Amino acid sequence: MPAVSKGDGMRGLAVFISDIRNCKSKEAEIKRINKELANIRSKFKGDKALDGYSKKKYVCKLLFIFLLGHDIDFGHMEAVNLLSSNRYTEKQIGYLFISVLVNSNSELIRLINNAIKNDLASRNPTFMGLALHCIANVGSREMAEAFAGEIPKILVAGDTMDSVKQSAALCLLRLYRTSPDLVPMGDWTSRVVHLLNDQHLGVVTAATSLITTLAQKNPEEFKTSVSLAVSRLSRIVTSASTDLQDYTYYFVPAPWLSVKLLRLLQCYPPPEDPAVRGRLTECLETILNKAQEPPKSKKVQHSNAKNAVLFEAISLIIHHDSEPNLLVRACNQLGQFLQHRETNLRYLALESMCTLASSEFSHEAVKTHIETVINALKTERDVSVRQRAVDLLYAMCDRSNAQQIVAEMLNYLETADYSIREEIVLKVAILAEKYAVDYTWYVDTILNLIRIAGDYVSEEVWYRVIQIVINRDDVQGYAAKTVFEALQAPACHENLVKVGGYILGEFGNLIAGDPRSSPLIQFNLLHSKFHLCSVPTRALLLSTYIKFVNLFPEIKTTIQDVLRSDSQLKNADVELQQRAVEYLRLSTIASTDILATVLEEMPPFPERESSILAKLKKKKGPGTVTDLEEIKKERSSDMNGSAEPATVVVSLKSTPSPSADLLGLGAAPATNSAPPPSSSGNLLVDVFSDSPSAVAPLAPGSDDNFARFVCKNNGVLFENQLLQIGLKSEFRQNLGRMFIFYGNKTSTQFLNFTPTVICSDDLQSNILKCTMLDGGAQVQQVVNIECVSDFMEAPILNIQFRYGGTFQNLSVKLPITLNKFFQPTEMSSQDFFQRWKQLSNPKQEVQNIFKAKHPMDAEITKAKIIGFGSALLEEVDPNPANFVGAGIIHTKTTQIGCLLRLEPNLQAQSTEEGKRLSPSEQLVLESQVVAV
């Protein structure tokens, strides 16, 4: 058959497809396909050599038959032969067949690789594009082994055409995602970054996708991309829609490239170069300003593109968490979307505001939208949007609005979708405990929770209320009275019976003096629920009955009659039968003293992290690095429960030196010779390894991160290509608690993962030692702190582990500084300067003069002084430009009053002056960090 023109549509293929469509039954279709397969097989096996057009046609028919769901076991060699053709259409069909049908283990893979290498070396951009597309479509490990070293050369070669560069960048991205270990990092990595400056925006778009993925695993090698990305982004957002005509989408210039550049910048912290940082801030402000402009088109494509760039810019602002003005503006912009008619925009706004609520700069701004969020909870039709509204209420909750939010969530719970009820129950339980000023409110809330959604109240929730009631004497009587009243309802949920049985068994004596709740009435009330309960609840009630024998001897006979009944002693359930027999025998033969000893009150539970919080984290999914922002929102409080998180107890002997004295909160002081015993059920290991590795020097950049924590308690302390360390902490007087989160950023396990807290030679610390930290997973460590006396040196956190057979050892400073134990104190101008003059001893005053690194913005400076811990005293200093603060440092041994003045000199330098009652320069050094 003679060669045909490029425009020929392969009529034989069209006829075959038409025949298939006209088949009336499956049998007719199979018959027609088998006939065609026999014809193709005979053509391929015939002695007469087929020309390229015929091969292409028959290969196309085989491909169509395969797509119909039939197996193809021949024709592969003919498809490979098409790769050597010089005609585009024939080569295209050959590559298409290989991409779809050829297995990576095929014997033909070597021939295919040779054909691809020939096309890559041909310098024909069309053929090179086909070869690169085939490599990316197959994406197998064998392809990566064969071409991972060649494609980077094509990408950075000066004579490569733009279309080929695009294909090469995306092909390399595909290979890196499937086989990252086979893509070598080399000289090309520095050259590929400069593709961000390429004139062709298609090349820039493809290169940005590649660099973003590479930078997530190798941030140091690609950190030069930050300035180039900011420069390119600046040119895009400041350009008119007519400047980038080929890449303008409904009046939005290069929206996809803008989104990719903003995502690339989220791989890094804020730029250190003031010029780059300022330019990036201008870009973000411009994007926020454009969002306020009237739309240039009413079509949905315009708003979608515009909002895509806006939301990615807000994500970058949240990621940097360093510009208060931008964070507040972002919050206000998202607030406008909360009532938008587009459901997707409302969902995205709620989701982004959840993250904003964790920032110290924007938390208050988020709280201003509480009424809108509550209204969304009540009126929103889409369940996913309602769930995000619940998440946002949980994130914005603090002591000022806790009761309102908990009440609204309880109201919503009555009509909430079944799929999210358990999560709402957990959040209500956590918020009620975390922000309970009066624990009677907490008890009322949990009992109301059980009443409304008892089926969704997990064991962790009612265990928790029991633990709190037992640990707090002031609420035990109220809890007993409230539970007793709740049990009088005709229909009680079984979880309420469990709580009532436990609390009345422990504290029923506190309400027994009231005739309405006498011992016999309490017993009859509980026993009236007995036959309606499951076996575990009946077992708990039997334990309550034997507790009543000890608490109320006057009803001992009544209880013994119940235990002696056939329904108990001959119960089909072994557990109930055994309890009835043993409790009856115990009540019969034991003396009063023995009963009192055996059945004494439950001791207080040890303070640990709440098991409810652990369950919520588990329900939200396994801990990942990307969950760190979510965890920051969960502000820590005194919690009992789960043994899952480990606790590190740091103890130091009292010493006259001014170095740090840290004592385990609630733990007995330890000596150098004997570490405190590790309790079963937690993850502590009480010994160091026999041959501990030397502690590594401080990681690069850790000092800068340390300084950022002087006036804030939450954030990312350290991050490299392997590990992310996040912190959240709270301090009250001389006590503190710090949660440390370790996130594995790789897909490979960390073996022998061992973080250790090191303070001084006198320090003795327990270490968290995990056999492994799974790829993408996260573990938590808790450090309890007590400031015994003033100190200068911060503790060191040393982390050692094995990654890919290589030993890793790094150290960072834990941001535990003296100002964390600062309690603000208000005073008048007269009192301030009277006390200032009284501190005339040279050892009571420290002064420091330093240059400010940034403009002394008044509002930002005030916020930093408040974050530093002292009270900001307004209109105290005669010079309105000065900033004045006062507070008290709380230690175990003493309380130290501190006065602070910050005197900006706009023409020269800033002066920091501080006075206190004992000699130490630490506070002034730390406040200098704040001021700059």
Side-chain angles (χ1 to χ4, degrees):
M1 184 182 291
V4 295
S5 64
K6 184 177 180 180
D8 188 280
M10 292 186 288
R11 184 173 178 275
L13 175 63
V15 171
F16 174 62
I17 294 174
S18 178
D19 290 346
I20 293 295
R21 288 177 176 172
N22 292 331
C23 290
K24 301 299 184 182
S25 64
K26 186 69 174 176
E27 291 75 14
E29 177 184 312
I30 294 174
K31 183 177 179 181
R32 179 66 182 91
I33 288 173
N34 288 336
K35 179 181 177 181
E36 191 63 38
L37 288 174
N39 177 56
I40 296 172
R41 196 185 301 270
S42 65
K43 294 291 185 182
F44 285 169
K45 289 184 177 180
D47 296 334
K48 184 180 178 181
L50 294 175
D51 60 14
Y53 171 77
S54 298
K55 287 181 182 178
K56 177 183 70 171
K57 179 179 65 175
Y58 293 134
V59 167
C60 269
K61 288 183 178 180
L62 292 175
L63 185 57
F64 179 71
I65 292 170
F66 175 78
L67 295 178
L68 289 176
H70 300 272
D71 292 332
I72 300 299
D73 57 1
F74 69 98
H76 299 75
M77 180 57 75
E78 284 71 18
V80 173
N81 290 337
L82 286 176
L83 300 184
S84 59
S85 173
N86 288 324
R87 290 180 179 272
Y88 171 78
T89 55
E90 295 172 7
K91 191 182 289 286
Q92 180 190 36
I93 295 301
Y95 275 123
L96 181 59
F97 186 93
I98 289 166
S99 299
V100 176
L101 271 88
V102 174
N103 190 291
S104 59
N105 297 324
S106 171
E107 297 176 355
L108 300 175
I109 200 71
R110 183 175 297 177
L111 294 175
I112 296 170
N113 287 350
N114 287 336
I116 292 175
K117 286 181 180 178
N118 291 336
D119 284 337
L120 291 179
S122 68
R123 313 309 295 176
N124 182 321
T126 304
F127 293 171
M128 293 176 74
L130 287 174
L132 290 167
H133 293 168
C134 179
I135 295 170
N137 286 333
V138 176
S140 64
R141 189 169 182 84
E142 290 72 17
M143 286 288 187
E145 289 175 346
F147 301 108
E150 295 295 324
I151 297 175
K153 297 176 183 177
I154 297 173
L155 178 60
V156 299
D159 59 345
T160 303
M161 293 188 65
D162 292 335
S163 61
V164 178
K165 284 184 179 179
Q166 286 180 258
S167 298
L170 296 177
C171 180
L172 188 59
L173 174 60
R174 163 72 167 161
L175 295 183
Y176 185 80
R177 284 174 174 169
T178 56
S179 307
D181 55 313
L182 296 180
V183 179
M185 298 290 111
D187 296 337
W188 65 272
T189 55
S190 58
R191 298 175 64 185
V192 77
V193 170
H194 291 283
L195 290 178
L196 295 176
N197 274 335
D198 199 280
Q199 294 182 352
H200 193 280
L201 287 189
V203 174
V204 180
T205 304
T208 305
S209 297
L210 174 63
I211 294 170
T212 301
T213 301
L214 294 173
Q216 289 171 350
K217 296 292 181 68
N218 307 281
E220 285 300 316
E221 293 197 35
F222 295 93
K223 63 182 178 181
T224 55
S225 63
V226 172
S227 58
L228 297 178
V230 171
S231 176
R232 174 62 77 174
L233 182 64
S234 176
R235 278 178 277 168
I236 293 173
V237 299
T238 57
S239 65
S241 58
T242 55
D243 296 342
L244 304 170
Q245 290 184 357
D246 292 341
Y247 288 87
T248 296
Y249 181 77
Y250 288 88
F251 304 101
V252 181
W256 288 279
L257 177 55
S258 300
V259 167
K260 290 178 184 291
L261 290 170
L262 290 165
R263 286 181 180 170
L264 171 59
L265 292 171
Q266 290 175 54
C267 297
Y268 294 93
E272 297 180 358
D273 187 342
V276 176
R277 188 167 185 166
R279 193 171 185 182
L280 176 58
T281 301
E282 290 177 6
C283 290
L284 297 173
E285 288 177 343
T286 302
I287 293 172
L288 292 174
N289 291 337
K290 285 186 176 182
Q292 300 290 339
E293 297 175 359
K296 298 180 180 179
S297 172
K298 294 183 179 179
K299 293 189 175 182
V300 68
Q301 292 91 336
H302 170 73
S303 60
N304 284 347
K306 187 176 178 182
N307 291 331
V309 177
L310 173 63
F311 275 101
E312 208 59 52
I314 291 174
S315 295
L316 179 60
I317 293 170
I318 295 171
H319 171 76
H320 283 173
D321 194 20
S322 59
E323 296 291 339
N325 294 335
L326 286 178
L327 285 162
V328 173
R329 285 195 60 188
C331 180
N332 294 335
Q333 181 64 52
L334 291 172
Q336 296 177 18
F337 287 138
L338 291 180
Q339 295 177 310
H340 198 278
R341 60 185 178 85
E342 182 66 37
T343 304
N344 289 337
L345 283 180
R346 297 197 300 274
Y347 179 93
L348 291 171
L350 289 166
E351 189 175 48
S352 298
M353 289 185 79
C354 284
T355 313
L356 274 173
S358 68
S359 171
E360 59 186 318
F361 300 116
S362 56
H363 183 75
E364 293 299 321
V366 172
K367 284 167 57 179
T368 61
H369 300 283
I370 184 171
E371 295 300 333
T372 306
V373 179
I374 290 173
N375 186 58
L377 194 64
K378 297 176 179 178
T379 61
E380 184 63 54
R381 293 182 179 181
D382 192 306
V383 61
S384 61
V385 180
R386 294 199 298 272
Q387 185 168 2
R388 292 287 80 80
V390 171
D391 291 341
L392 180 53
L393 286 175
Y394 176 75
M396 69 167 63
C397 188
D398 58 22
R399 294 196 184 279
S400 67
N401 57 20
Q403 294 195 13
Q404 178 188 5
I405 287 177
V406 168
E408 292 294 344
M409 292 175 80
L410 282 173
N411 290 337
Y412 172 62
L413 188 57
E414 297 190 30
T415 57
D417 299 83
Y418 296 111
S419 60
I420 62 174
R421 284 194 178 187
E422 184 180 2
E423 185 176 327
I424 296 175
V425 166
L426 292 174
K427 288 181 175 179
V428 169
I430 291 169
L431 295 179
E433 177 189 347
K434 187 184 298 184
Y435 299 115
V437 178
D438 180 2
Y439 274 92
T440 59
W441 171 74
Y442 169 76
V443 171
D444 290 338
T445 300
I446 298 300
L447 294 182
N448 200 17
L449 192 65
I450 295 174
R451 179 187 63 79
I452 294 172
D455 290 339
Y456 299 89
V457 175
S458 62
E459 288 185 340
E460 287 83 359
V461 175
W462 74 266
Y463 286 174
R464 188 66 183 139
V465 70
I466 295 298
Q467 293 168 359
I468 288 179
V469 170
I470 287 177
N471 284 13
R472 288 170 174 81
D473 297 339
D474 56 330
V475 80
Q476 290 167 357
Y478 180 82
K481 178 176 178 293
T482 307
V483 168
F484 175 78
E485 292 173 351
L487 285 172
Q488 293 177 354
C492 293
H493 193 276
E494 189 167 335
N495 281 331
L496 181 59
V497 177
K498 292 177 182 177
V499 174
Y502 202 111
I503 290 180
L504 292 179
E506 294 292 331
F507 311 113
N509 60 308
L510 299 179
I511 61 172
D514 189 335
R516 293 169 296 179
S517 55
S518 65
L520 185 59
I521 293 176
Q522 291 185 41
F523 171 74
N524 289 333
L525 180 61
L526 286 176
H527 196 55
S528 67
K529 315 291 183 182
F530 187 89
H531 65 287
L532 301 173
C533 297
S534 63
V535 170
T537 306
R538 292 183 184 185
L540 185 148
L541 289 177
L542 289 178
S543 298
T544 301
Y545 297 166
I546 191 64
K547 286 268 189 177
F548 277 179
V549 170
N550 178 50
L551 290 177
F552 312 122
E554 62 270 28
I555 62 172
K556 178 177 179 180
T557 304
T558 305
I559 294 173
Q560 287 177 333
D561 290 342
V562 170
L563 296 176
R564 193 178 290 116
S565 64
D566 288 347
S567 61
Q568 304 301 334
L569 295 181
K570 298 181 180 180
N571 197 296
D573 186 87
V574 177
E575 174 68 21
L576 294 180
Q577 184 186 97
Q578 182 177 353
R579 288 196 183 211
V581 171
E582 292 179 354
Y583 290 162
L584 178 60
R585 191 66 177 159
L586 179 64
S587 66
T588 303
I589 67 172
S591 65
T592 304
D593 292 338
I594 293 176
L595 272 179
T597 303
V598 174
L599 303 174
E600 65 180 349
E601 261 187 30
M602 285 290 293
F605 288 86
E607 293 290 335
R608 294 183 191 144
E609 186 195 24
S610 171
S611 58
I612 310 176
L613 190 56
K615 184 175 179 65
L616 179 62
K617 293 176 189 175
K618 184 177 180 180
K619 185 171 181 61
K620 297 293 280 186
T624 61
V625 176
T626 57
D627 292 332
L628 189 60
E629 294 301 322
E630 175 71 17
I631 294 173
K632 290 179 191 174
K633 302 172 211 167
E634 298 162 358
R635 296 171 178 82
S636 59
S637 63
D638 291 337
M639 301 177 181
N640 303 336
S642 170
E644 291 179 10
T647 303
V648 172
V649 181
V650 182
S651 304
L652 185 68
K653 292 195 300 185
S654 179
T655 171
S657 71
S659 61
D661 283 344
L662 301 176
L663 189 65
L665 180 60
T671 64
N672 277 340
S673 59
S678 60
S679 61
S680 61
N682 60 29
L683 300 178
L684 292 182
V685 177
D686 60 357
V687 291
F688 293 98
S689 59
D690 293 335
S691 302
S693 302
V695 177
L698 292 180
S702 62
D703 282 339
D704 294 337
N705 287 338
F706 178 85
R708 295 190 183 102
F709 279 85
V710 170
C711 59
K712 72 174 188 176
N713 292 330
N714 301 336
V716 177
L717 177 65
F718 173 79
E719 184 170 9
N720 62 12
Q721 65 270 28
L722 302 179
L723 181 68
Q724 185 184 59
I725 304 175
L727 294 181
K728 64 173 185 176
S729 52
E730 69 173 8
F731 296 85
R732 184 176 65 254
Q733 296 184 355
N734 68 312
L735 303 178
R737 173 171 290 181
M738 179 175 289
F739 291 81
I740 309 174
F741 302 94
Y742 304 96
N744 183 348
K745 295 176 62 177
T746 73
S747 58
T748 306
Q749 287 180 340
F750 293 165
L751 300 178
N752 299 326
F753 186 79
T754 309
T756 310
V757 178
I758 303 168
C759 190
S760 72
D761 292 338
D762 294 322
L763 177 66
Q764 188 164 57
S765 65
N766 288 340
I767 61 174
L768 167 69
K769 184 174 182 181
C770 305
T771 55
M772 63 184 67
L773 175 55
D774 290 335
Q778 188 177 77
V779 295
Q780 172 183 307
Q781 188 177 28
V782 186
V783 180
N784 293 323
I785 308 151
E786 181 177 1
C787 180
V788 178
S789 64
D790 61 304
F791 59 93
M792 291 286 288
E793 296 298 327
I796 301 295
L797 176 65
N798 177 246
I799 302 103
Q800 301 177 7
F801 59 93
R802 287 196 171 274
Y803 167 71
T806 305
F807 179 73
Q808 305 288 333
N809 188 1
L810 60 93
S811 297
V812 294
K813 280 186 179 181
L814 281 180
I816 301 173
T817 49
L818 193 59
N819 68 294
K820 299 297 183 184
F821 306 98
F822 220 155
Q823 295 295 306
T825 302
E826 297 290 339
M827 60 178 62
S828 65
S829 175
Q830 181 179 354
D831 292 339
F832 180 87
F833 285 103
Q834 181 178 356
R835 297 187 184 189
W836 185 276
K837 292 176 183 178
Q838 290 174 353
L839 304 176
S840 56
N841 191 315
K843 292 185 178 181
Q844 294 178 320
E845 180 176 0
V846 179
Q847 179 172 321
N848 197 14
I849 299 174
F850 56 91
K851 291 184 178 180
K853 296 180 181 178
H854 304 289
M856 296 287 288
D857 181 272
E859 293 304 317
I860 294 178
T861 305
K862 289 178 181 178
K864 289 186 175 181
I865 290 177
I866 293 173
F868 183 67
S870 66
L872 181 66
L873 306 182
E874 303 276 7
E875 300 179 359
V876 168
D877 198 297
N879 185 349
N882 292 347
F883 301 92
V884 178
I888 297 175
I889 294 177
H890 288 262
T891 71
K892 184 178 181 180
T893 55
T894 185
Q895 296 183 5
I896 307 166
C898 299
L899 307 178
L900 178 147
R901 293 176 74 189
L902 180 67
E903 303 174 357
N905 185 341
L906 301 180
Q907 286 73 37
Q909 298 170 319
S910 293
T911 301
E912 168 72 35
E913 189 169 2
K915 295 195 176 185
R916 50 168 292 181
L917 300 180
S918 70
S920 175
E921 299 182 4
Q922 179 70 0
L923 267 183
V924 171
L925 295 177
E926 292 164 5
S927 58
Q928 176 181 341
V929 174
V930 173
V932 299

